[in-house]
């Protein structure tokens, strides 16, 4: 396991972090997963108030004892932006649930909208409570997680309130590269959210994608895309059981630059996507926005790119069905709301027939919504 400096926190974190969102099978499985992660060298555990019983399970494990001293493990929990009093209460509740005296890192969970940004910039708002908790020794480092559009992320980074950021960025979603670079310039720790799941459900890849990535697995290749980037500190692994730690551990020392063979695999992926989609490929320029019907056109067409280009229909359906069901965590309306108004057409540099592609995407990917993991 390799370790990297987490920006200005000066913590040295394992390049894989244990995320606890999917550790929901029961406390016994949670504990075995936690112990196995620590045995493999993972020294950063991330949880959140919104992850069901995860904080309680983790606190119980810490009370019973873990394979290394507490001071050798770094804990991050996340709480949603709120008013000053609610934030103070959330911090104290998380510390109590985790059975610790302090948090190594607190992340404001989900600065996703302009309203969330206003909440943290309010002089008497939630960040005032965070600063008080930090002064009292309850928190050592403060960051934020985000599912926001790029522009909101950049604005949040430019507040200079934070030491680190939890962000979506993968081979199949590189829109946030500017935010990665901005965070690096500010010496912030960079934590990549869910590269296996949100990065493409790469633990169950379709045959087309598997063949294009050979001799590498799609998951390993995505991990290498991220690990080879020295700006990135750590990647979240969200195992449901100890066995799901095996594949990331196989590349936990692979932080060197991409090899020629790996570059060839990425070239194959790009070539295949262009050939398969032809004149229907969306380049993700985002110039089609805003949409009068609030359709997230670029994201809809990105999912179509992946489904048509690589056979990633399962992933596309998983993400597409979240529209209109996940609020600000995955904003935008489904493509069937297109009225063929034509506003987007003159802005598209590829001259795509966007309304037709939106309808095609809806037919391919729509279905019954799925509940989120921690919802009952």
């Amino acid at each position: 396991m390799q370790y990297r400096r987490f920006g200005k926190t000066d913590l040295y974190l394992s390049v894989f972090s244990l995320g606890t969102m999917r550790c929901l099978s029961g406390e016994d499985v949670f504990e075995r997963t936690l112990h196995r992660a620590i045995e493999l060298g993972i020294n950063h555990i991330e949880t959140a108030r919104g992850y069901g019983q995860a904080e309680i399970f983790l606190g119980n494990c810490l009370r019973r004892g873990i394979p290394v001293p507490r001071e050798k493990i770094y804990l991050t929990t996340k709480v949603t932006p709120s008013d000053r009093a609610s934030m103070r209460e959330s911090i104290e509740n998380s510390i109590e649930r985790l059975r610790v005296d302090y948090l190594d890192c607190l992340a404001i969970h989900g600065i996703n909208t302009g309203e969330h940004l206003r909440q943290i910039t309010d002089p008497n708002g939630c960040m005032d409570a965070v600063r008080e908790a930090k002064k009292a020794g309850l928190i050592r480092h403060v960051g934020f997680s985000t599912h926001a559009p790029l522009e909101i992320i950049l604005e949040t980074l430019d507040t200079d309130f934070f030491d680190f950021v939890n962000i979506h960025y993968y081979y199949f979603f590189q829109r946030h590269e500017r935010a990665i670079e901005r965070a690096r310039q500010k010496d912030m720790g960079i934590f990549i959210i869910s590269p296996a799941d949100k990065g493409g459900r790469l633990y169950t890849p379709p045959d087309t994608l598997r063949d294009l990535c050979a001799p590498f697995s799609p998951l390993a290749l995505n991990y290498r895309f991220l690990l080879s980037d020295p700006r990135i500190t750590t990647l979240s692994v969200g195992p449901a059981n100890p066995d799901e730690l095996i594949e990331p551990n196989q590349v936990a020392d692979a932080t060197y630059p991409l090899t020629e063979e790996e570059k060839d695999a990425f070239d194959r992926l790009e070539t295949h996507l262009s050939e398969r989609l032809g004149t229907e490929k969306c380049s993700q320029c985002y110039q089609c926005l805003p949409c009068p019907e609030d359709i997230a056109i670029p994201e809809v067409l990105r999912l179509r790119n992946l489904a048509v280009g690589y056979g990633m229909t399962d992933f596309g359906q998983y993400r597409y069905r979240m529209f209109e069901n996940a609020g600000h965590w995955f904003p935008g309306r489904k493509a069937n709301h297109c009225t063929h108004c034509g506003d987007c057409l003159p802005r598209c540099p590829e001259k795509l027939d966007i309304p037709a592609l939106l309808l095609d995407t809806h037919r391919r990917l729509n279905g019954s919504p799925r509940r989120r993991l921690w919802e009952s």
Side-chain angles (χ1 to χ4, degrees):
M1 182 70 66
Q2 297 293 303
Y3 300 83
R4 284 178 168 171
R5 177 176 171 272
F6 197 38
K8 66 185 74 173
T9 71
D10 280 328
L11 302 176
Y12 276 79
L13 302 188
S14 48
V15 295
F16 285 103
S17 295
L18 180 68
T20 59
M21 188 177 77
R22 295 180 64 236
C23 294
L24 302 175
S25 299
E27 193 163 341
D28 176 64
V29 175
F30 184 102
E31 186 165 23
R32 287 191 287 110
T33 303
L34 173 65
H35 282 230
R36 183 57 180 149
I38 293 172
E39 290 165 0
L40 292 172
I42 290 176
N43 71 350
H44 179 224
I45 316 300
E46 186 216 34
T47 189
R49 288 299 308 277
Y51 290 174
Q53 297 290 96
E55 279 189 336
I56 293 173
F57 288 172
L58 180 54
N60 290 342
C61 291
L62 293 173
R63 177 179 57 81
R64 287 191 291 268
I66 55 177
V68 297
R70 158 70 178 95
E71 59 269 19
K72 292 187 179 295
I73 293 294
Y74 302 114
L75 301 181
T76 294
T77 198
K78 300 179 293 190
V79 295
T80 55
S82 58
D83 59 61
R84 186 177 180 277
S86 297
M87 177 59 70
R88 178 70 187 201
E89 182 179 6
S90 293
I91 293 169
E92 292 174 349
N93 286 346
S94 284
I95 288 174
E96 181 179 354
R97 285 154 64 99
L98 289 166
R99 298 172 178 259
V100 295
D101 297 322
Y102 65 92
L103 299 171
D104 298 284
C105 299
L106 174 79
I108 309 303
H109 190 23
I111 300 180
N112 299 337
T113 67
E115 177 57 32
H116 295 145
L117 187 55
R118 286 188 287 275
Q119 284 180 296
I120 67 163
T121 54
D122 180 350
N124 298 310
C126 64
M127 291 305 293
D128 193 45
V130 172
R131 285 186 284 268
E132 285 184 358
K134 189 174 181 182
K135 185 176 180 179
L138 299 178
I139 299 167
R140 296 193 171 173
H141 307 285
V142 182
F144 72 100
S145 72
T146 181
H147 298 234
L150 176 61
E151 294 72 22
I152 297 268
I153 298 174
L154 294 173
E155 285 187 60
T156 307
L157 293 172
D158 285 343
T159 64
D160 293 322
F161 290 169
F162 300 106
D163 303 320
F164 64 91
V165 59
N166 299 9
I167 192 169
H168 292 280
Y169 176 71
Y170 324 104
Y171 173 71
F172 292 117
F173 180 74
Q174 298 181 41
R175 168 71 174 170
H176 291 160
E177 197 280 335
R178 282 177 56 200
I180 296 288
E181 179 57 22
R182 184 76 58 87
R184 182 203 66 80
Q185 292 169 357
K186 294 176 178 293
D187 193 28
M188 295 175 66
I190 299 173
F191 179 113
I192 301 300
I193 301 170
S194 186
D197 187 66
K198 306 300 189 300
R201 279 202 163 180
L202 300 178
Y203 41 80
T204 54
D207 290 341
T208 298
L209 185 60
R210 186 183 295 110
D211 292 344
L212 287 166
C213 292
F216 313 102
S217 73
L219 180 55
L221 203 59
N222 188 49
Y223 282 151
R224 284 287 295 125
F225 171 78
L226 297 167
L227 291 172
S228 67
D229 189 335
R231 301 173 297 181
I232 293 168
T233 307
T234 187
L235 318 180
S236 175
V237 178
N241 57 67
D243 291 341
E244 293 185 7
L245 291 164
I246 294 172
E247 189 158 9
N249 187 59
Q250 291 171 346
V251 294
D253 289 325
T255 56
Y256 43 80
L258 292 173
T259 66
E260 291 304 313
E261 194 173 19
E262 289 167 338
K263 291 178 184 177
D264 288 344
F266 285 122
D267 286 344
R268 282 196 304 275
L269 287 166
E270 291 298 319
T271 299
H272 179 85
L273 187 68
S274 295
E275 291 177 349
R276 182 71 182 83
L277 287 164
T279 58
E280 295 181 347
K281 179 184 175 183
C282 172
S283 66
Q284 297 289 282
C285 69
Y286 279 64
Q287 292 182 39
C288 54
L289 296 180
C291 170
E293 299 303 323
D294 197 29
I295 298 167
I297 298 172
E299 181 62 11
V300 171
L301 297 187
R302 181 181 78 94
L303 297 177
R304 185 182 187 277
N305 282 355
L306 298 178
V308 175
Y310 301 129
M312 296 171 67
T313 301
D314 180 67
F315 173 68
Q317 290 175 341
Y318 157 54
R319 297 301 283 174
Y320 186 79
R321 292 168 184 174
M322 290 180 67
F323 286 125
E324 304 174 30
N325 289 291
H328 58 76
W329 297 100
F330 200 68
R333 301 171 80 199
K334 290 183 177 180
N336 62 318
H337 292 285
C338 177
T339 62
H340 297 259
C341 70
D343 278 12
C344 56
L345 295 176
R347 299 198 295 267
C348 178
E350 281 96 15
K351 305 302 179 186
L352 298 176
D353 185 350
I354 293 175
L357 295 177
L358 290 176
L359 180 59
D360 179 72
T361 306
H362 186 76
R363 288 171 175 164
R364 290 174 184 271
L365 303 182
N366 191 46
S368 301
R370 300 178 183 179
R371 69 177 180 87
R372 300 176 75 189
L373 285 172
W374 53 88
E375 293 175 341
S376 58

